[in-house]
Amino acid sequence: MTVHFPFEHTYAALPANFFARVSPTPVTAPRLIKLNRPLAVHLGLDPDRLSSPEGTEILAGKRIPEGADPIAMAYAGHQFGHFVPQLGDGRAILLGEVIDADGVRRDIQLKGSGPTPFSRRGDGRAALGPVLREYIVSEAMAVLGIPTTRSLAAVMTGESVLRETPLPGAVLTRVASSHIRVGTFQYFAARGDTDGVRRLADHVIGRHYPHLANAERPYHALLEGVIARQADLVARWLLVGFIHGVMNTDNTSISGETIDYGPCAFMDHYDPAMVFSSIDEMGRYAYANQPRIALWNLTRFAECLLPLLADEQGKAIEQAQAALGDFAESFNASYQAGLREKLGLFTARDGDQALAQDLLDAMAKNHADFTLTFRRLSDAALAPADDSEVRQLFADPTAYDEWAVRWRQRISEEPQDPAARQTAMRSVNPGFIPRNHRIEAVIDAAVNRDDFAPFEELLTVLSKPYEDQPALAAYAEPPEPHQRVLQTFCGT
Ligand code: AMP
Ligand code: MG
């Protein structure tokens, strides 16, 4: 039975310097680890066929499906602030695009499928651990309602990849509304190829911002649109305690999806300075720096668009600055609205921002668990006796008590009944997030014992983050001191 992909290729139809045509490198013994069946159905693909031996070979890059036009995309990027004029898909190959059940065009890309002309010194491969981490975290983000690339499948290649030690190799099938990055624009801008920038901008408008096509100044509107989506995205990250880890411009999606899960992590106890990535020695991409870095990346994007904004450079810069000036307001609107929801506030009032900030400050000072504090606060909204569950998360529980007096006063001024407030809070404050020590345990079992049961169980827990799941309640717990993961590593 043949696997049918109804592929289209709008990106591959762009000029030849936008990509390199390259096929995945065949691997010896593909083995399907996980197929995301609901996502397959959403994409119009048959999950039974995809999980057949033939489907598994396709997902491993051993067989090229009919209708595919495999390419590696060209891009540049600022990595930790340093510009690299040529990066590109060094270990990812785009098979093509499909239209999903919502009518949205989606890229289907194999990550870890062998070298490309952009591989530089890399082997084009991915290790099993980072593939499982990306699968887990990207799917968890999707359930939390955060724009993200998705994971369609994880396969083992039957080959080992050499990192510090030999590790089992794997391929992730990634699905994105596109893989176009700030770095893709930089690739053409750095070459002085204004026509390339314009072609790319037109493609992006048609694909991600079609409502802007008839705007008076479409490229200006595009800049504003990308800024607004990034501002909202980063606000959402902060509201769940997510740290991307490598916010380079080549890892900043133009569509506003979270992309390139490497050394990312969710924080346990709240610490705005938290960094997990082993390569982020300066804390450039620390939790609380993420809005600032997003703006920095968007400024690089704006620079690429300058020649399209106005004929006169001074005028173009003025326009770009005006658009970038909206970032803070856009971010704050999303972030403050999200915080109000997390606190169970149905209305916006003066003083709410200070109320939220004072809780966060107390959490930071008292090492309170980010996720559990808000989750338990949701129940305390119904039953003040449950305050005991929240206060014990604080090193000094009286820090919570003092704050809770103000919070109760504030919520008492709204007409909604406590049950409605609890329900609303529970729907925005997850009980379960992909905690790092759980991900590490999953990877350890898979890599060292060929045991994928923990992976499946974690996926099950994370598929219902807002439910209590009493049988799996241990997954809500922060790590014991000896379980704490202090560093995560890049997937390379
Ligand atoms: P990232 O970790 O996403 O910031 O990757 C930076 C660049 O390195 C991208 O161009 C990747 O395609 C490339 N890259 C990462 N790992 C590998 C690898 N194992 N082989 C080839 N290229 C890689
Ligand atoms: Mg990347």
Side-chain angles (χ1 to χ4, degrees):
M1 56 185 190
T2 316
V3 187
H4 175 65
F5 288 83
F7 279 132
E8 298 183 9
H9 303 286
T10 62
Y11 198 85
L14 288 166
N17 58 335
F18 277 56
F19 55 84
R21 279 212 160 73
V22 55
S23 289
T25 307
V27 295
T28 40
R31 169 181 158 202
L32 184 65
I33 299 301
K34 183 72 184 172
L35 176 69
N36 189 337
R37 298 180 68 97
L39 181 59
V41 171
H42 188 70
L43 295 171
L45 307 175
D46 180 343
D48 292 328
R49 293 187 180 196
L50 266 182
S51 49
S52 71
E54 184 198 329
T56 302
E57 286 188 357
I58 290 170
L59 296 168
K62 190 175 181 179
R63 175 195 291 258
I64 298 168
E66 206 176 301
D69 184 3
I71 60 168
M73 293 166 67
Y75 52 84
H78 275 90
Q79 300 188 306
F80 290 89
H82 302 285
F83 187 63
V84 184
Q86 180 161 318
L87 289 163
D89 289 331
R91 56 166 169 170
I93 292 177
L94 177 65
L95 294 178
E97 305 148 12
V98 298
I99 308 295
D100 74 13
D102 297 327
V104 178
R105 183 175 300 277
R106 304 272 178 195
D107 278 2
I108 298 188
Q109 190 198 57
L110 303 179
K111 186 172 170 184
S113 55
T116 77
F118 305 112
S119 296
R120 295 174 296 159
R121 288 181 302 280
D123 60 2
R125 290 296 177 189
L128 178 59
V131 164
L132 296 181
R133 172 180 278 110
E134 173 153 359
Y135 194 107
I136 293 164
V137 181
S138 65
E139 288 306 297
M141 294 282 270
V143 179
L144 292 171
I146 299 173
T148 178
T149 62
R150 302 290 305 271
S151 295
L152 177 63
V155 294
M156 286 175 76
T157 58
E159 297 173 0
S160 62
V161 295
L162 194 60
R163 295 298 180 254
E164 269 124 59
T165 53
L167 293 168
V171 176
L172 181 86
T173 305
R174 178 162 71 178
V175 176
S177 64
S178 87
H179 286 84
I180 301 167
R181 307 135 191 274
V182 168
T184 319
F185 280 85
Q186 289 181 292
Y187 181 85
F188 299 101
R191 285 160 178 74
D193 181 357
T194 302
D195 192 50
V197 174
R198 187 177 293 111
R199 294 291 294 264
L200 184 61
D202 290 340
H203 177 83
V204 164
I205 291 172
R207 188 162 175 180
H208 299 300
Y209 300 88
H211 54 291
L212 305 181
N214 299 318
E216 201 181 316
R217 292 178 293 161
Y219 302 121
H220 184 82
L222 171 64
L223 176 60
E224 288 180 333
V226 174
I227 289 170
R229 285 195 198 172
Q230 279 292 323
D232 182 62
L233 179 68
V234 175
R236 288 166 184 263
W237 288 355
L238 296 199
L239 292 165
V240 295
F242 178 75
I243 304 169
H244 182 283
V246 208
M247 286 177 71
N248 293 334
T249 56
D250 53 300
N251 295 338
T252 302
S253 157
I254 290 295
S255 75
E257 289 176 342
T258 312
I259 191 171
D260 274 3
Y261 293 87
C264 60
F266 279 69
M267 61 164 111
D268 296 302
H269 68 88
Y270 180 67
D271 175 2
M274 187 66 96
V275 176
F276 285 99
S277 169
S278 61
I279 54 170
D280 190 4
E281 285 158 19
M282 308 295 282
R284 178 181 170 91
Y285 300 141
Y287 171 82
N289 258 351
Q290 296 182 115
R292 211 170 308 157
I293 291 294
L295 177 57
W296 193 90
N297 292 343
L298 290 163
T299 307
R300 305 288 81 77
F301 177 55
E303 286 164 1
C304 298
L305 293 186
L306 286 179
L308 309 188
L309 293 181
D311 290 336
E312 195 191 312
Q313 204 194 19
K315 215 167 153 200
I317 291 175
E318 214 172 277
Q319 285 187 22
Q321 278 171 341
L324 292 163
D326 291 341
F327 175 88
E329 199 181 313
S330 201
F331 166 79
N332 273 323
S334 296
Y335 182 59
Q336 296 301 336
L339 282 175
R340 276 201 308 277
E341 281 184 356
K342 288 181 87 67
L343 294 180
L345 305 181
F346 291 98
T347 52
R349 294 200 187 163
D350 286 349
D352 288 348
Q353 191 167 335
L355 184 70
Q357 191 57 50
D358 290 347
L359 174 63
L360 292 171
D361 289 346
M363 288 164 64
K365 208 167 151 195
N366 290 280
H367 302 279
D369 185 82
F370 182 81
T371 304
L372 283 186
T373 299
F374 287 104
R375 182 68 178 180
R376 293 185 184 176
L377 197 64
S378 314
D379 294 329
L382 177 67
D386 283 347
D387 269 354
S388 60
E389 299 291 317
V390 195
R391 69 194 301 278
Q392 71 186 27
L393 297 169
F394 290 68
D396 172 8
T398 63
Y400 171 72
D401 298 339
E402 283 164 26
W403 178 84
V405 173
R406 291 166 55 204
W407 176 60
R408 289 197 186 284
Q409 175 61 38
R410 170 67 179 85
I411 58 180
S412 75
E413 291 161 12
E414 293 187 345
Q416 282 79 7
D417 66 70
R421 173 164 290 107
Q422 182 200 31
T423 304
M425 289 177 74
R426 285 168 60 91
S427 73
V428 294
N429 291 320
F432 299 98
I433 47 146
R435 291 190 187 264
N436 234 335
H437 66 296
R438 292 289 181 177
I439 296 175
E440 289 302 323
V442 161
I443 292 174
D444 178 56
V447 171
N448 298 317
R449 297 190 294 283
D450 196 38
D451 176 7
F452 291 87
F455 172 62
E456 291 292 341
E457 188 166 86
L458 185 57
L459 289 178
T460 302
V461 173
L462 296 173
S463 68
K464 291 174 243 139
Y466 301 110
E467 292 179 21
D468 280 334
Q469 309 188 60
L472 298 163
Y475 281 93
E477 295 299 323
E480 299 289 341
H482 71 276
Q483 295 175 314
R484 282 189 63 198
V485 176
L486 300 175
Q487 275 199 328
T488 49
F489 299 87
C490 256
T492 50

